[in-house]
Structure formats: C-alpha cells, structure tokens
C-alpha cells in the first residue's frame, strides 16, 4: 500500500480516536489467506480494545497517585497471623 493511501487511514483513525487502527498492516500479516474481511475487522477491534484496556489501567494507576506500585505477588503472606497460605492449585 502506498503512502497516498496510508495518510487518509492515519487521519481517519485519529479523528475516530482509534489509534491502533494505524497498525493494520501487522494484523494483515498475521491473518491467513482464507480469512475474511470480517475476521480482519474483528482482529483490528480486538487489538484496539486490548490497547484501551492497558491504557485505562495505566491512567487509573497514575490518577491514584500511589507512591509505588505493589502487587499481590510481592505481598508477604507470612505477616498475616489469621490467614493460612493457600495450597497450590493442581491442574
């Protein structure tokens, strides 16, 4: 696809506020020859939704103004007196 066609895509993606649509070439490369336009559109929208989810999470963490980011993986469960360490989950 030439740059004359790419510019309107960038423009419309910006106007519609779907910036990940600019990465459509990456999705095209991942699709098989048998995939339809609908499958392409689904994959494009999945990518946009995933990106919005990540961006929203980052925005909420920033808005909370935490002094540092902590996760449950880092939490020391041995400090809790009345809580036993959970058993490992067997698959």
């Amino acid at each position: 696809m030439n740059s004359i066609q790419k510019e309107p895509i960038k423009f419309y993606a910006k106007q519609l506020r779907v910036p990940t649509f600019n990465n459509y070439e990456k999705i095209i490369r991942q699709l098989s020859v048998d995939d339809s336009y609908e499958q392409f559109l689904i994959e494009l929208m999945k990518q946009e939704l995933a990106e919005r989810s990540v961006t929203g999470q980052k925005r909420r963490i920033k808005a909370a103004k935490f002094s540092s980011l902590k996760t449950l993986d880092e939490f020391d469960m041995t400090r809790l007196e009345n809580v036993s360490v959970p058993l490992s989950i067997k698959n």
Side-chain angles (χ1 to χ4, degrees), residues 52-63:
R52 285 183 185 201
S53 177
V54 169
T55 303
Q57 184 179 23
K58 287 179 183 178
R59 189 178 340 103
R60 287 187 295 276
I61 289 171
K62 185 177 179 181

Side-chain angles (χ1 to χ4, degrees), residues 6 9-27 44-45 47-53 55 59:
K6 289 181 182 181
I9 292 171
K10 287 181 181 181
F11 174 77
Y12 290 129
K14 185 174 181 178
Q15 293 298 313
L16 293 169
R17 295 189 174 122
V18 285
T20 55
F21 278 32
N22 288 322
N23 300 329
Y24 67 93
E25 290 175 328
K26 179 181 173 187
I27 293 172
L44 197 57
M45 289 189 289
Q47 182 181 353
E48 178 66 27
L49 186 60
E51 188 65 31
R52 285 183 185 201
S53 177
T55 303
R59 189 178 340 103

Side-chain angles (χ1 to χ4, degrees), residues 69-82:
L69 182 62
K70 296 181 182 181
T71 64
L72 286 176
D73 296 335
E74 301 167 351
F75 187 74
D76 183 14
M77 296 292 275
T78 59
R79 293 177 43 197
L80 302 175
E81 297 173 6
N82 299 326

